[in-house]
Amino acid sequence: MSSNQFSNLNSSNPWLEKLFKNIKAVVLVVIVAILLSTAFFQVGPEEVGVIVQFGKYQRTVDPGLNYKIPFMESVYKVPVERQQKLEFGFRTTNPGIRTEYTRRGTTDESLMLTGDLNLADVEWVVQYRIDNAYNYLFKVRNPETTLRDISEAAMRQIVGDRTVNEVLTVGRTEISSKLQELMQKVCREYSLGVKIEQVVLQDVNPPEPVKAAFNSVNEAQQEKETLINQAKAEYNKVIPKAAGQAKETIQMAEGYASERVNNAKGDVARFNALYTEYVKAPEVTKKRIYLETMESVIPKLGEKIITDQKGNSVLPLLQMQLSQQKNSNNGQ
């Protein structure tokens, strides 16, 4: 199209003529809008922004509205306040109130050899947080994959130092704490920029082909422990009681022995005293002993009348007493 034709087109269409006159302003506005849209960016409340210029680290910015040089600087948003997790031996397929899981394709990472050359299927979860965004982005390539490899290697080392019974039963808490400690140590050595918050041993089972046999062994061990505890409880109940009874019997015997000895000593002292008095005055002493003896014996005889050989006037009195006693019995 010639210049004359272009002029004729503009003159025939006023709108196009106005557009061509203001095209520079329109282009300038578009460029400014693009620059502004690429210069300002928003960092979330749980993130930090890492700004690089032509691939070189420049600075780290806090949450909120921030600025970068368009086309020269780029930003990586790193969720440093968000707790993240890695799953081993299973994967969550549908989180929610009734979370759904799958074990498909995870057997290689969960099947491990124990120290006594048995196999254990270990499932665990590692919860971590990024505590150094620069190290996480630039010190290690593929940090999440590296962290997964670190966790799996550390778990195999820990399980390999223990028996299968320890892994399946009593050693689970120790394994979790040891794994967290070992992972954190390796992450510091690698400058991974990650803090291990928690390690949860989700489930530990024997391999599926021998699971029934292992369950039977565990049930037998639990029954054994139950019987041992019951026996100890019975022992603790019976033995102290028997010991107390034995001690009580010994103390009673000792008390009885002391009583008998003291009584015997008292009798000996009384006899010696009587003998001393008897030596001094035999007749008086014999009479006094006789009277004292009669004084203690006669009250125990009850309804008895004692007379000498010449007691002739006692019979009427005795008959009267017997009659009174008979009448009183009839009245009752």
Side-chain angles (χ1 to χ4, degrees):
M1 181 181 295
S2 62
S3 58
N4 292 332
Q5 292 175 340
F6 187 74
S7 299
N8 293 332
L9 181 62
N10 288 341
S11 60
S12 62
N13 193 333
W15 185 84
L16 288 177
E17 182 179 0
K18 185 178 180 181
L19 176 62
F20 284 120
K21 287 181 179 179
N22 298 315
I23 192 168
K24 291 182 178 180
V26 172
V27 171
L28 182 61
V29 170
V30 171
I31 292 174
V32 170
I34 294 174
L35 291 176
L36 291 177
S37 64
T38 57
F40 292 94
F41 62 94
Q42 181 74 25
V43 178
E46 60 180 13
E47 300 174 332
V48 295
V50 179
I51 297 177
V52 296
Q53 189 177 67
F54 299 118
K56 183 179 180 181
Y57 172 78
Q58 291 297 314
R59 63 190 181 278
T60 300
V61 296
D62 295 327
L65 186 63
N66 293 274
Y67 172 82
K68 63 182 179 64
I69 301 175
F71 307 111
M72 295 179 61
E73 293 180 340
S74 57
V75 60
Y76 296 95
K77 298 178 181 180
V78 183
V80 294
E81 298 296 333
R82 183 189 309 162
Q83 190 179 70
Q84 305 182 61
K85 70 175 182 178
L86 296 176
E87 299 172 336
F88 297 85
F90 68 99
R91 297 292 185 273
T92 301
T93 58
N94 187 19
I97 298 176
R98 300 185 64 181
T99 305
E100 297 179 3
Y101 305 95
T102 181
R103 288 179 49 85
R104 184 177 301 173
T106 62
T107 306
D108 292 340
E109 66 185 20
S110 63
L111 200 60
M112 301 184 182
L113 187 67
T114 62
D116 54 355
L117 302 181
N118 285 299
L119 290 176
D121 195 2
V122 185
E123 300 175 5
W124 75 99
V125 177
V126 176
Q127 297 177 348
Y128 68 96
R129 183 175 56 82
I130 301 172
D131 65 346
N132 190 314
Y134 174 79
N135 288 349
Y136 186 80
L137 290 176
F138 304 114
K139 290 290 185 178
V140 178
R141 182 179 296 176
N142 298 326
E144 184 173 332
T145 303
T146 303
L147 184 60
R148 180 173 288 276
D149 293 340
I150 290 172
S151 180
E152 186 175 342
M155 179 62 83
R156 292 188 183 279
Q157 176 182 338
I158 295 171
V159 171
D161 292 336
R162 286 161 176 78
T163 64
V164 67
N165 288 331
E166 291 177 328
V167 175
L168 292 174
T169 56
V170 298
R172 300 180 58 163
T173 303
E174 182 186 359
I175 290 173
S176 298
S177 59
K178 185 67 176 178
L179 179 60
Q180 180 178 354
E181 179 183 348
L182 185 57
M183 285 186 64
Q184 191 61 68
K185 178 182 177 182
V186 177
C187 288
R188 283 196 298 266
E189 292 176 355
Y190 286 4
S191 298
L192 195 59
V194 168
K195 180 182 179 182
I196 307 300
E197 298 281 350
Q198 188 179 14
V199 174
V200 179
L201 215 60
Q202 192 79 1
D203 200 5
V204 182
N205 292 307
E208 199 64 34
V210 296
K211 193 171 184 178
F214 268 87
N215 291 337
S216 299
V217 172
N218 289 335
E219 290 175 1
Q221 289 178 344
Q222 292 175 0
E223 185 176 358
K224 172 186 173 183
E225 293 296 329
T226 301
L227 293 176
I228 290 174
N229 292 333
Q230 290 177 353
K232 288 181 178 179
E234 190 68 21
Y235 174 87
N236 293 330
K237 182 173 67 175
V238 172
I239 297 301
K241 182 178 179 181
Q245 291 177 347
K247 188 175 181 180
E248 181 182 2
T249 303
I250 291 172
Q251 290 176 349
M252 290 175 61
E254 290 175 348
Y256 180 73
S258 299
E259 181 183 2
R260 293 299 300 271
V261 171
N262 292 332
N263 290 338
K265 289 181 179 180
D267 292 341
V268 170
R270 181 173 177 275
F271 179 80
N272 290 334
L274 289 174
Y275 179 74
T276 303
E277 297 298 326
Y278 178 79
V279 171
K280 294 179 181 179
E283 293 299 327
V284 175
T285 303
K286 283 197 299 182
K287 188 174 182 180
R288 184 170 65 84
I289 293 173
Y290 175 79
L291 294 175
E292 290 177 353
T293 304
M294 290 297 102
E295 184 181 4
S296 62
V297 170
I298 290 174
K300 299 178 182 179
L301 296 178
E303 298 294 334
K304 302 292 181 181
I305 298 176
I306 301 174
T307 65
D308 58 4
Q309 294 179 353
K310 298 179 180 181
N312 296 324
S313 62
V314 180
L315 182 59
L317 180 62
L318 178 61
Q319 289 177 350
M320 185 180 65
Q321 290 179 349
L322 292 174
S323 298
Q324 291 177 353
Q325 183 178 3
K326 184 176 180 181
N327 292 331
S328 62
N329 291 334
N330 292 332
Q332 291 178 354

